[in-house]
Amino acid sequence: MTAGALVLLSLIALAGLALALRGERRGATGGAVALGVALAVAGGLAWLGTGGAGAVQAGAVLALLAAVAGGGPVATAVLHAADPAATGVSGGPQDPDILRGGAWIGVLERTAIAATLLAGWPEGLAVILAVKGLGRFSELRAPAAAERFIVGTLASALWAVACVGVVALLRS
């Protein structure tokens, strides 16, 4: 069971990287759903198995990679699902002028979230999210920007936490 969880974390990282390199195209939602299902199965396998020290260490590395690589496509799919343009508000996820650099900030955010949780410092989440909020504060006056910030940040952070959750299940 533990080996299955590690293999799935590896596949999630590779598939997430492939989806991210492919870019925001049609069908991105299907890929993000597949990543979510694979992560849920990895969590179930980790819960059923018991991991030794080596498996937990490998799981930590793979969870970090899965959090970073898989989080982009997942956050993008969630942003498309919550597109404010669908309700008549301008500036949806396709607008390049809203919150520029969000993809790279998301990579750094997921890396920092996974690292702080793996290091056993959950308080680091508050620091990471506060720094991100302060850095974007001046851009959040526009309703579409605020919505995109909240939805994207929550999707990205929850994905990173879920990836690290597989490692927590391996430890128990």
Side-chain angles (χ1 to χ4, degrees), residues 120 124 141:
R141 294 180 198 263

Side-chain angles (χ1 to χ4, degrees), residues 8-140:
L8 277 174
L9 282 174
S10 300
L11 292 175
I12 290 166
L14 290 173
L17 182 60
L19 286 170
L21 291 175
R22 189 177 81 174
E24 297 179 27
R25 295 186 184 153
R26 288 186 96 127
T29 302
V33 169
L35 289 175
V37 169
L39 186 60
V41 172
L45 291 174
W47 183 49
L48 294 174
T50 55
V56 171
Q57 289 173 345
V61 170
L62 293 172
L64 181 65
L65 293 173
V68 172
V74 169
T76 299
V78 171
L79 283 168
H80 280 295
D83 186 355
T87 60
V89 177
S90 64
Q94 73 283 356
D95 189 345
D97 293 328
I98 292 187
L99 301 178
R100 294 177 48 91
W104 283 108
I105 292 170
V107 166
L108 296 171
E109 170 190 11
R110 289 185 300 276
T111 302
I113 288 171
T116 59
L117 292 176
L118 289 169
W121 189 51
E123 296 85 359
L125 290 174
V127 174
I128 294 161
L129 296 176
V131 167
K132 184 177 180 187
L134 287 172
R136 291 286 198 184
F137 183 73
S138 64
E139 299 173 84
L140 298 179

Side-chain angles (χ1 to χ4, degrees), residues 142-153:
E147 182 177 343
R148 182 175 180 169
F149 176 82
I150 292 167
V151 171
T153 298

